[in-house]
Amino acid sequence: MTIDYTGLYINGDWTPSSGSNVIDVISPTTEQQIGSVPEATQSDVDDAVEAARAAFDGPDGWGSWAPSRRAEVLGRFADELESRAEETSSRVSSQNGMPIQLARQFEGGFPPVLLRYFGDMAAKQEDEIRPGMLGGSTLVTRSPIGVVGAITPWNVPQAITFLKLAPALAAGCTVVLKPSPETVLDAFLMAEAAIAAGMPAGVLNIVPGGRELGAYLVSHPGIDKVSFTGSTAAGKSIARTCGEMLRPVTLELGGKSAAVVLDDADLAANIESFFAATLLNNGQICWLGTRVLAPRSRYAETVDTITDLAKGLKIGDPLSDDTQIGPLVSSRQRDRVEGYIEKGKGDGGRITTGGARPGSMDTGWFVEPTVFADVQTGHTIAQEEIFGPVLAVIPYDDEAEAVKIANHSDYGLGGSIWTADPDRGAQFARRIASGTVGINGYVNDPTAPFGGIKNSGIGRELGPEGLASYQQLKSIYLDVR
């Protein structure tokens, strides 16, 4: 049985699309269709933006509500999402190959946490009075930016969606969301939760489609801010459009992060955390440390440890509880990863495990977890984002060289340091050019700003900074003489 929708979620209800095209959702495991939704048109985007504007500006507009009142709605939204958490997790795994145990954490569990966190933060936020230097004082107020155009990817669709939705809605913004066509069934289930929670009409609207529709949303004159997660190439195009329009934009883009193993590290004792920081979600997460830097004095040992890890991972149906590596999201993505494996071999890298499709899988877009040794920092697989279960292990002589190699990248999103001395790791992390770095692991905590530098993006999500990115500041000068 397939999951099929006949309408788009616009202005608080299911609305027929103005076009006739349909997005067919294909399982990366069975290669069979598992559902469908209408593909939105530019006219549908116009309707969604108009609904979002009316919901924001109306007589009882969402932007004018007391933050505590908005928090109550977000709390109900969180409750409804929790009641659908298992179905959400199953839909995501079925669409993109994410192992179900991970989907339960990221896709089922994280969104309600973010809704409550940002709703509570906004409800407690107060205006600020600052004493002036010239004799008076200033009242600093915060107000919602307005209508947000949010564009999300397929790899962690619900968690990334709520990196945007939770702070935007808590701040008082209304949202037009364009999910990736690969993962739309979870977005429509989220719409069902919004309806059940009593979300006011027009506050959230969902218009699935491809790149062209995303470009139309970004350039729409009714949008006040854009928030995008995706490729660096697409992010640069969005940045150009927003720059021309002087439109605020948050960009969370690609990564090629370094996992730096220091000479005192006990990698085997932290192997589960190392897996989560390097190969999680079949290698399809932008902050993963896919460049592993190992001291030359312990290089062979480190390669062996990582190779044993990759060899021991359970490959299989993402809906099975014991699966650690599922299929890649699409045949095109598998072709891309296999192309990089060939480039790695052509540059002189040595495959210690993997490098092929698992022989035990008759269907599905699977690639074995692959480890390359003897990789140099100039090799293609050490510089370009692969977005699959492929690790490149690069040797270094001393800490100075490790820092140089780690920072020799166009990206700067994530990273991790592996050491027996956390203080040493923290000091080393300060020298890494990246927006985020973990010590003996990597976790995006809701309280901490997340985002990248260089080709990894602009702006921050999560933490108070995530809420602030959807607010405008106004200074009201008091006691002026």
Side-chain angles (χ1 to χ4, degrees):
M1 177 180 292
T2 60
I3 302 171
D4 300 295
Y5 289 85
T6 58
L8 302 172
Y9 180 61
I10 296 175
N11 203 25
D13 204 354
W14 298 108
T15 304
S17 172
S18 64
S20 59
N21 290 344
V22 172
I23 296 173
D24 293 326
V25 182
I26 308 299
S27 163
T29 307
T30 67
E31 302 180 35
Q32 300 298 312
Q33 183 173 336
I34 57 175
S36 66
V37 304
E39 182 177 5
T41 66
Q42 291 185 3
S43 178
D44 295 326
V45 171
D46 292 340
D47 291 343
V49 173
E50 181 180 356
R53 175 61 59 193
F56 181 79
D57 287 336
D60 188 31
W62 181 255
S64 66
W65 282 25
S68 59
R69 186 183 173 195
R70 290 196 294 265
E72 291 178 2
V73 177
L74 299 190
R76 295 198 301 270
F77 193 14
D79 293 342
E80 293 295 338
L81 289 171
E82 282 182 334
S83 72
R84 295 164 174 79
E86 187 63 24
E87 176 65 14
T88 297
S89 303
S90 176
R91 288 193 185 190
V92 171
S93 294
S94 298
Q95 292 172 110
N96 71 1
M98 178 185 289
I100 188 66
Q101 293 283 32
L102 180 62
R104 289 182 179 125
Q105 298 174 47
F106 280 14
E107 305 295 85
F110 204 44
V113 170
L114 293 179
L115 283 170
R116 295 186 178 112
Y117 170 68
F118 281 108
D120 183 63
M121 181 188 300
K124 293 179 179 178
Q125 199 171 60
E126 297 180 351
D127 292 341
E128 177 186 356
I129 294 182
R130 300 181 186 177
M133 296 179 64
L134 305 177
S137 59
T138 302
L139 174 65
V140 180
T141 67
R142 294 170 176 83
S143 60
I145 281 181
V147 178
V148 174
I151 302 175
T152 54
W154 48 258
N155 61 325
V156 194
Q158 283 298 292
I160 292 176
T161 290
F162 280 89
L163 293 183
K164 306 175 190 312
L165 279 192
L169 296 179
C173 298
T174 56
V175 179
V176 178
L177 170 69
K178 192 205 79 67
S180 173
E182 287 84 359
T183 47
V184 289
L185 301 180
D186 55 294
F188 279 51
L189 184 62
M190 178 187 68
E192 294 177 17
I195 293 170
M199 185 73 69
V203 169
L204 172 62
N205 309 271
I206 302 176
V207 286
R211 294 180 180 179
E212 296 79 8
L213 193 74
Y216 183 75
L217 176 62
V218 167
S219 64
H220 199 287
I223 294 295
D224 299 306
K225 174 188 166 73
V226 172
S227 182
F228 170 80
T229 297
S231 72
T232 296
K236 288 181 176 180
S237 176
I238 290 169
R240 283 191 290 270
T241 299
C242 291
E244 285 291 332
M245 303 180 78
L246 294 179
R247 173 170 292 168
V249 61
T250 298
L251 302 172
E252 196 271 279
L253 308 177
K256 191 67 180 178
S257 304
V260 184
V261 181
L262 299 184
D263 56 15
D264 64 346
D266 186 352
L267 205 57
N270 292 286
I271 202 64
E272 290 186 9
S273 295
F274 186 80
F275 164 71
T278 57
L279 287 167
L280 202 66
N281 197 26
N282 319 326
Q284 297 177 139
I285 298 181
C286 49
W287 47 254
L288 289 175
T290 53
R291 291 184 297 146
V292 182
L293 279 53
R296 202 175 296 275
S297 61
R298 299 183 61 191
Y299 186 75
E301 172 196 348
T302 303
V303 169
D304 287 346
T305 299
I306 298 171
T307 299
D308 289 344
L309 164 66
K311 281 182 177 178
L313 295 174
K314 176 69 166 61
I315 306 172
D317 184 344
L319 293 175
S320 297
D321 285 344
D322 60 349
T323 292
Q324 295 168 290
I325 298 290
L328 300 180
V329 69
S330 64
S331 59
R332 181 179 62 182
Q333 186 65 17
R334 183 178 62 180
D335 290 345
R336 170 187 168 89
V337 172
E338 290 177 332
Y340 274 109
I341 291 173
E342 291 305 310
K343 289 179 182 179
K345 292 191 292 187
D347 283 343
R350 172 171 58 92
I351 293 179
T352 65
T353 188
R357 303 177 184 181
S360 59
M361 314 302 292
D362 294 329
T363 61
W365 299 309
F366 292 88
V367 173
E368 295 174 330
T370 302
V371 177
F372 275 94
D374 303 334
V375 177
Q376 299 177 21
T377 192
H379 288 177
T380 300
I381 62 169
Q383 290 297 318
E384 296 184 13
E385 185 176 38
I386 299 173
F387 230 59
V390 180
L391 301 181
V393 189
I394 306 169
Y396 68 86
D397 288 318
D398 54 28
E399 283 196 13
E401 186 180 19
V403 171
K404 182 178 180 180
I405 294 173
N407 292 341
H408 184 75
S409 173
D410 292 334
Y411 298 101
L413 181 59
S416 56
I417 313 299
W418 303 86
T419 174
D421 183 351
D423 290 336
R424 179 189 180 194
Q427 289 301 316
F428 191 94
R430 292 175 179 271
R431 302 162 68 186
I432 301 300
S434 180
T436 62
V437 183
I439 309 300
N440 294 326
Y442 187 95
V443 176
N444 296 131
D445 192 282
T447 66
F450 170 72
I453 61 174
K454 298 189 280 189
N455 277 357
S456 289
I458 298 171
R460 294 294 181 266
E461 297 178 307
L462 296 176
E465 295 81 2
L467 180 64
S469 71
Y470 293 96
Q471 296 174 320
Q472 297 185 108
L473 295 176
K474 178 183 289 185
S475 293
I476 301 174
Y477 304 118
L478 308 175
D479 305 321
V480 177
R481 296 289 187 268

